[in-house]
Amino acid sequence: MAQSSEKDDRSLARDIGPYGAMSTVIGGTLGAGLFVTLGTASSTTGPSVILVVLLAGVVATAVAINYSWMSTIFPAAAGSYSYVSRTFNSRLPGFIVTWSKWLGYMAADASLAIGFGSYLQVFFPDLIAGRTGIALAGFGVLTVLFLINLVGTRGYSIAQSAILGVLVLAILVLVLPGSLSIDTANYRPFFTGGSSGFLAAAAPLFYAYIGIAVAGQMGAEVKNPGRNLPLAMIGGTIILTLLYMWTAAVIYGVVGDYTVLANSARPLATAAETFLGTDATAIVAFGGLLATASSVNAVMAAAIKMPYSWSWDEIFPQRFSMVSERFGSPHWSLLTLYVVSSALTFYASGLNQVIVIATFSYLIAYFAVSVSLLYAQYARPDIVEQADFNPRVGLLVSGLVGAIGAFVLLIQAYQGTLTVYVPWVIIGFIVFGIYWYRGQQSGTDVESILDTLPGVPSAEYDPDIQEITADD
């Protein structure tokens, strides 16, 4: 317990309630799905992207179940790192999986910031001109949300919950009247690229679900994690799937040529122009601003927990697990994310490239967590019995669907990513090797480290019985 007690001054506060956790999943994901990729993903398959949404949603729900189960056993910061490292009793697999996911988070923040700039351009076309103008607007929203996250999760949770309410209203402005304006002839031809085109759309469309596990990454800051984390991740994913399918059915039903949406950086606003007036289109565009901003906010809050957790486990510089005395936020980790994401906003050659890199990195984590669940079911009965959330029927099915689905999507998503991913992983091995060697030289007690949960104070977690005590 001494190892844990020494780190109590670096632990995180549980300030996020059930609505904050749910708004993290839904509000943090909508910006990627509805307002960025729902149009571009149809380029290879046409209106049948509606079914791709459902297929991706099935895999996403399985992944959400897997994350939810693991989160009730290890409700820690950087959930996927804690799940993998504690299940296999080794820091290396958890580090490599989340090292790639950290890259994905930074790429996702850049992608969403670009999306924000694109929607802001609707209101200020003369001021925000061209790629540079959009990147500057994206940099602006990154800066504002950097400051919000700097003051801690309480400010983050309030902002995220408030944004979600306005965001839902903006979406309803489109889908409710749009449902009455659908022309089924616009769905023909339904499959424009055959089976290959259909599958090719699955990987970029899965980017629409990248926020489903964000609440798990913030597990050390969610109140009553045994109840609120499964509720947020599984419930939020089901709501997202239904909302995505409804919206996709509307926008492809009101627009006569799907390529118009496939080539649009603002597909919802483009669809609104066909049956709504200028004011309504502006409302949808405003919703796009809110959605992309809320996603940047959620991704930023989750991403900073990865270097924080590595540092907690002594495989990254110790300053990254330092928390602000005033706000309780891991400020060094946050600053690093802000600088890198801002640079990617200007550097990325295009939105699709950034999306592919982010999706590939996320899929690796989803595959690893699903495999960890299956391994625990087979070889770790000691942790299985500690789960607060345990669907007796279907857990093995969700593990298999999550693992196989993520693997199949990885095969689709790897093209164009390995030139970035492989060097990044090599760097990760070098970083881990340096800190592993330093730990060996100084006699670091790895077993004692793995008996703690990143971000969780010793008074809350007893490694001898693996019991979590948290406020309701």
Side-chain angles (χ1 to χ4, degrees), residues 278-305:
T278 304
D279 292 340
T281 301
I283 293 174
V284 174
F286 181 65
L289 286 175
L290 292 175
T292 48
S294 69
S295 291
V296 171
N297 195 29
V299 170
M300 185 176 289
I304 62 178
K305 305 308 186 301

Side-chain angles (χ1 to χ4, degrees), residues 376-462:
Q377 292 290 315
Y378 176 74
R380 294 294 307 274
D382 56 315
I383 64 174
V384 169
E385 64 184 19
Q386 303 302 326
D388 289 335
F389 166 74
N390 194 4
R392 298 182 184 277
V393 179
L395 196 59
L396 290 177
V397 173
S398 72
L400 288 171
V401 171
I404 295 172
F407 182 76
V408 171
L409 290 170
L410 274 169
I411 295 174
Q412 295 291 322
Y414 85 94
Q415 298 180 7
T417 64
L418 296 184
T419 54
V420 175
Y421 177 75
V422 172
W424 180 255
V425 169
I426 292 173
I427 294 172
F429 272 109
I430 293 172
V431 170
F432 182 90
I434 290 172
Y435 282 92
W436 175 85
Y437 179 77
R438 291 176 60 178
Q440 290 288 103
Q441 294 298 107
S442 61
T444 297
D445 185 352
V446 177
E447 183 177 349
S448 179
I449 291 175
L450 292 173
D451 275 342
T452 70
L453 288 183
V456 179
S458 58
E460 184 182 324
Y461 178 65
D462 187 340

Side-chain angles (χ1 to χ4, degrees), residues 211-291:
I212 59 173
V214 168
Q217 302 304 110
M218 303 169 69
E221 296 156 293
V222 175
K223 300 176 182 178
N224 194 358
R227 179 192 66 189
N228 293 334
L229 285 173
L231 177 65
M233 288 191 279
I234 299 175
T237 302
I238 293 173
I239 292 172
L240 285 165
T241 301
L242 295 174
L243 185 58
Y244 286 163
M245 291 188 67
W246 185 12
T247 306
V250 168
I251 65 174
Y252 288 98
V254 300
V255 175
D257 183 359
Y258 78 91
T259 61
V260 173
L261 298 174
N263 295 322
S264 174
R266 302 180 294 272
L268 262 68
T270 300
E273 292 171 359
T274 65
F275 65 95
L276 297 175
T278 304
D279 292 340
T281 301
I283 293 174
V284 174
F286 181 65
L289 286 175
L290 292 175

Side-chain angles (χ1 to χ4, degrees), residues 325-383:
E325 293 184 6
R326 181 175 181 183
F327 302 117
S329 59
H331 46 283
W332 283 106
S333 180
L334 178 60
L335 178 62
T336 302
L337 174 81
Y338 168 66
V339 171
V340 176
S341 294
S342 297
L344 286 175
T345 301
F346 290 95
Y347 173 76
S349 61
L351 182 61
N352 288 337
Q353 177 188 359
V354 178
I355 288 174
V356 169
I357 293 172
T359 303
F360 185 76
S361 300
Y362 277 82
L363 286 169
I364 289 173
Y366 295 159
F367 174 77
V369 171
S370 297
V371 169
S372 297
L373 178 145
L374 294 171
Y375 174 80
Q377 292 290 315
Y378 176 74
R380 294 294 307 274
D382 56 315
I383 64 174

